[in-house]
Each structure stands twice: as C-alpha cells, then as structure tokens.
Amino acid sequence: MINDIIIFKNGELELEVSVSKDREDVWLSQEQMAKLFSVDRTRISRHINNI
C-alpha cells in the first residue's frame, strides 16, 4: 500500500506526515509525536510501552 505524504504546519512546527490512501490513518514516528507535543521522545516511548 502506498501512502501519501502531507506537510503539517502549525506556527514554527512543520512535520511530514504519512497518510493512508483511504485517508483514515495517519502515522507519525515517535520523534514526530515528540515534536508535536513538545516532549522528549522517551516520554512517547513510555506511553507506547504502557499500552
């Protein structure tokens, strides 16, 4: 399956985001999520491990 790449911009924040063809799924890396929420990547990793 081929995904489209979109650019998410919000002020100074700019992320390349992979979006599934049917536009129902958006995938961010841990690093991208950390940038989005202005936290360290390890905090994202901890939350994922708790799921």
Side-chain angles (χ1 to χ4, degrees):
M1 178 164 85
I2 297 175
N3 293 336
D4 293 331
I5 303 292
I6 61 169
I7 305 295
F8 172 82
K9 291 182 182 181
N10 185 9
E12 292 182 21
L13 177 65
E14 184 174 313
L15 296 173
E16 287 188 10
V17 180
S18 179
V19 181
S20 67
K21 199 168 187 107
D22 60 10
R23 304 274 184 200
E24 292 183 16
D25 296 326
V26 176
W27 293 95
L28 281 77
S29 68
Q30 289 183 17
E31 193 65 39
Q32 289 173 315
M33 286 187 275
K35 282 178 89 173
L36 181 64
F37 294 108
S38 300
V39 298
D40 186 74
R41 188 202 52 79
T42 58
R43 290 182 72 184
I44 301 298
S45 182
R46 260 184 277 149
H47 284 289
I48 292 171
N49 287 333
N50 287 331
I51 295 175

